[in-house]
Amino acid sequence: MSTRIFTDGSASGNPGPGGWAFLAYLEDRAQVVELGSHVPATTNNKMELRAAIEALRLCVKLKVFAQIFVYTDSKYVIQGITSWIFGWKKRNWIKADGQPVANREFWEELDSMIRQHSLDVKWVHVPGHAGVLGNERVDEIAVSFSHQGDPNLYDGTWEDFPDKEIFDNLRDVFKVSSYKKPKYLSLVKGQFYLHDTWEDCHAHVKGSSGAKFKKVKSYEEEQMLRKQWSK
């Protein structure tokens, strides 16, 4: 079983009033939860991060530790948590250009939650405003909250959830063929990481006893390796 979550964030004016939202299907509990909130002054990137943080916080609160798939249209979130963050931490939260990392407190909160609770998170990019039902739903909620709206949120059983088609055939919808560039999968102290470059991967595994790492060329190859290393 797995947990599948759509997340999104919105800011009117960027910066300006914002909102975040997530829609989670907790398969092992047969439960669906929609949640979000308004923030008076913020940015789109902050709201994207807050949505991911709060979604994982719910998993921790409900003790749901099955593999978690997070579907987001934010490449900023995905690249940050799966690649950039390793260099940032190595340089004490300074970017390669010498500037401080923006939204550091959000990144630290997200990273700490994943590490502290050993969450197995797979980050999946989905196209925004392209008719993907789950993405459209969380966008609707986040935008509503950014305008101080009061969207009708669902929190109940899977059986009574009226929009089951949102989660139908997700593997088919988001099947990924070859990556544009090879990535590097590592396993360090029971935690998986996906790196965009060999340099980031090498820096992450260096000095870690028992670490595993390998180049992967596609999503399917990555998932197969995850299964092999999890045995």
Side-chain angles (χ1 to χ4, degrees), residues 67-140:
Q67 186 173 42
I68 302 167
F69 290 85
V70 176
Y71 302 96
T72 173
D73 60 17
S74 174
K75 292 184 177 180
Y76 172 73
V77 170
I78 293 177
Q79 291 178 326
I81 197 61
T82 65
S83 179
W84 302 337
I85 196 168
F86 306 112
W88 291 341
K89 292 195 292 185
K90 184 178 179 181
R91 294 187 295 269
N92 194 28
W93 295 96
I94 297 297
K95 297 189 296 182
D97 63 4
Q99 297 299 311
V101 172
N103 304 318
R104 172 179 172 177
E105 66 276 20
F106 289 82
W107 290 114
E108 287 185 311
E109 188 175 1
L110 181 59
D111 182 55
S112 175
M113 184 170 299
I114 293 171
R115 287 175 170 273
Q116 181 179 347
H117 300 283
S118 300
L119 300 180
D120 182 8
V121 184
K122 169 62 183 176
W123 302 89
V124 184
H125 180 258
V126 300
H129 308 290
V132 178
L133 295 178
N135 179 259
E136 296 291 339
R137 175 55 181 160
V138 290
D139 175 72
E140 176 188 359

Side-chain angles (χ1 to χ4, degrees), residues 116-176:
Q116 181 179 347
H117 300 283
S118 300
L119 300 180
D120 182 8
V121 184
K122 169 62 183 176
W123 302 89
V124 184
H125 180 258
V126 300
H129 308 290
V132 178
L133 295 178
N135 179 259
E136 296 291 339
R137 175 55 181 160
V138 290
D139 175 72
E140 176 188 359
I141 298 172
V143 170
S144 178
F145 274 122
S146 74
H147 296 295
Q148 300 189 59
D150 185 21
N152 185 26
L153 303 181
Y154 183 87
D155 184 355
T157 66
W158 169 254
E159 181 179 359
D160 294 330
F161 182 55
D163 300 313
K164 293 184 177 65
E165 64 271 19
I166 287 177
F167 295 101
D168 288 344
N169 302 318
L170 279 179
R171 291 181 181 178
D172 295 333
V173 173
F174 302 116
K175 185 177 180 181
V176 181

